Amino acid sequence: MGLTKGELGDYFLSLGEKEYRATQIIKWVHQKGVSDISKMTDLSLELRERLVKECEVRVPEVIYQADSMDGTRKWVISVGEGDLIEMVLIPEGKRATLCVSSQVGCAIDCSFCATGKQGFSRNLSLDEIIGQLWIAENSFDKSKDIYKRNISNVVMMGMGEPLHNFEPVVKAMGLMLDSNAYGLSKRRVTLSTSGLVPQIKELSKHSDVSLTISLHAPNDELRNELVPVNKKYPIKELLKSVRFYVDKCNDSRVTTFEYILIDRVNDSLKLARELADLLLDFPCKINLIPFNPFSESSYKRPSNNRVKRFQEFLQSKGYVVTIRSTRGDDIMAACGQLVGKVNDKTRRKERNKKKELIQVKSI
Ligand code: SF4
């Protein structure tokens, strides 16, 4: 699971085998969902016996699965040493979107995000990232049609900042797009980033998947508070890098800007106007996400009226604006609610607790 087609090809060459064996293995593992090497019948018996001795197809271990009333499914996956990650499947008509994690925790610490509050443990490896798609794809009955695709869309939007884990994420997205593996189109694989400017530019050399930017504020002062990485990469720089990426894609690409609406923090009409001015002439779509509460946050979700008002203002300025419906909040699987279990190496959790204590004492 941890090897790309090129790396598998090198492995087979080192065995004195033909390089195309890599494609056969990729098809068995990722396209057909077969993890038992002895069942890979287009390999000679001798090669299968050798591979069984030398290799294994190791899928990450699912330790818990929860189904929401609305059909959303969440998996909790163990990635060793007590670290747990979460991934979520959101069915919607004919679409089934899998929200995949890229890190155990996250170092960015956006103020509205439960993952950020957990601190950060480590990056996930290629097998741990693509293994999530493998698990979801094969959690449905494929006995009638092994080529049937159950997952139609993947969003790199679970735990972690994907561009902080560049190489494994790029390799995993390569497998997602590979017609011998998951065969998803580049418009159905989306990478969501808080805005790491150099990595966005670098990504354009390796991939042309859809890009989503977690914007959440139309000016640097407010964005510095909500998305701290903005202090390093301010909005102007970020938008420049997104333009660079889109121009490289060269296919009339539309970028999605995510905007979490937090009651009385970033949901005023004044800010809607600023946002409209900021994105003027940018080929984009705006996705509004009413804040999903969690215990460690004092932010509140705005009323439906305030959400609608924000949306209608932007629409009146000609923007395509969607409101993300809250899915899976009864199993804590909604946007911004994923926590897993993080052996926090940043000690952020500890520091946050101390801060809370000081605040309570001063009250
Ligand atoms: S919103 Fe994304 S980048 Fe920000 S802390 Fe959460 S997981 Fe990290």
Side-chain angles (χ1 to χ4, degrees), residues 154-171:
V154 173
V155 288
M156 298 298 307
M157 229 179 250
M159 293 170 68
E161 162 53 66
L163 292 181
H164 260 168
N165 187 16
F166 194 86
E167 205 183 310
V169 164
V170 167
K171 284 180 176 176

Side-chain angles (χ1 to χ4, degrees), residues 10-61:
D10 291 343
Y11 170 69
F12 280 109
L13 287 174
S14 77
L15 297 184
E17 284 284 337
K18 294 275 189 286
E19 208 176 350
Y20 69 79
R21 297 281 179 220
T23 305
Q24 290 176 295
I25 295 284
I26 292 278
K27 279 187 177 179
W28 279 111
V29 175
H30 295 291
Q31 194 179 68
K32 301 176 194 168
V34 173
S35 55
D36 181 348
I37 294 169
S38 64
K39 291 189 178 149
M40 300 181 179
T41 47
D42 57 0
L43 305 176
S44 70
L45 192 57
E46 193 190 338
L47 179 58
R48 270 181 272 163
E49 282 171 356
R50 182 166 184 191
L51 292 181
V52 167
K53 277 190 208 134
E54 292 190 15
C55 317
E56 63 171 336
V57 182
R58 194 192 304 147
V59 180
E61 184 194 359

Side-chain angles (χ1 to χ4, degrees), residues 71-108:
T72 301
R73 176 175 289 180
K74 176 167 93 171
W75 289 266
V76 179
I77 295 168
S78 166
V79 288
E81 297 182 3
D83 278 332
L84 304 178
I85 55 159
E86 299 187 351
M87 65 161 177
V88 178
L89 178 66
I90 307 129
E92 215 178 5
K94 283 187 178 159
R95 280 157 67 122
T97 302
L98 186 70
C99 181
V100 167
S101 291
S102 56
Q103 297 183 303
V104 188
C106 184
I108 301 284

Side-chain angles (χ1 to χ4, degrees), residues 103 105-117 157-162 164 192-195 214 216 226-229 260 336 338 348:
Q103 297 183 303
C106 184
I108 301 284
D109 197 16
C110 300
S111 63
F112 51 82
C113 173
T115 303
K117 298 279 168 280
M157 229 179 250
M159 293 170 68
E161 162 53 66
H164 260 168
S192 170
T193 177
S194 58
S214 298
H216 312 311
L226 300 178
V227 187
V229 79
I260 288 220
L338 299 187
R348 185 183 306 148

Side-chain angles (χ1 to χ4, degrees), residues 121-177:
S121 176
R122 68 171 176 85
N123 284 331
L124 294 179
S125 53
L126 169 58
D127 54 314
E128 290 164 340
I129 299 170
I130 203 67
Q132 295 172 60
L133 179 52
W134 192 96
I135 289 167
E137 188 61 55
N138 293 292
S139 69
F140 298 90
D141 182 19
K142 286 180 91 158
S143 56
K144 287 197 193 92
D145 179 4
I146 53 170
Y147 294 100
K148 184 175 169 268
R149 298 260 69 95
N150 291 313
I151 309 299
S152 63
N153 297 62
V154 173
V155 288
M156 298 298 307
M157 229 179 250
M159 293 170 68
E161 162 53 66
L163 292 181
H164 260 168
N165 187 16
F166 194 86
E167 205 183 310
V169 164
V170 167
K171 284 180 176 176
M173 293 193 305
L175 280 168
M176 290 170 196
L177 302 186

Side-chain angles (χ1 to χ4, degrees), residues 263-326:
D263 192 36
R264 319 282 155 173
V265 173
N266 65 351
D267 65 342
S268 67
L269 276 186
K270 180 177 170 285
L271 290 173
R273 189 168 296 119
E274 256 188 74
L275 184 62
D277 290 345
L278 178 75
L279 299 178
L280 204 70
D281 298 332
F282 210 107
C284 69
K285 201 171 92 181
I286 300 169
N287 191 16
L288 302 176
I289 310 166
F291 174 69
N292 291 307
F294 57 92
S295 58
E296 286 148 305
S297 174
S298 54
Y299 287 150
K300 291 194 176 58
R301 186 192 186 90
S303 66
N304 289 345
N305 277 348
R306 285 182 78 84
V307 173
K308 214 71 214 117
R309 200 179 63 148
F310 201 92
Q311 180 191 35
E312 282 168 2
F313 180 84
L314 291 170
Q315 283 172 331
S316 74
K317 297 288 173 193
Y319 287 95
V320 175
V321 189
T322 49
I323 299 175
R324 184 178 301 166
S325 54
T326 299

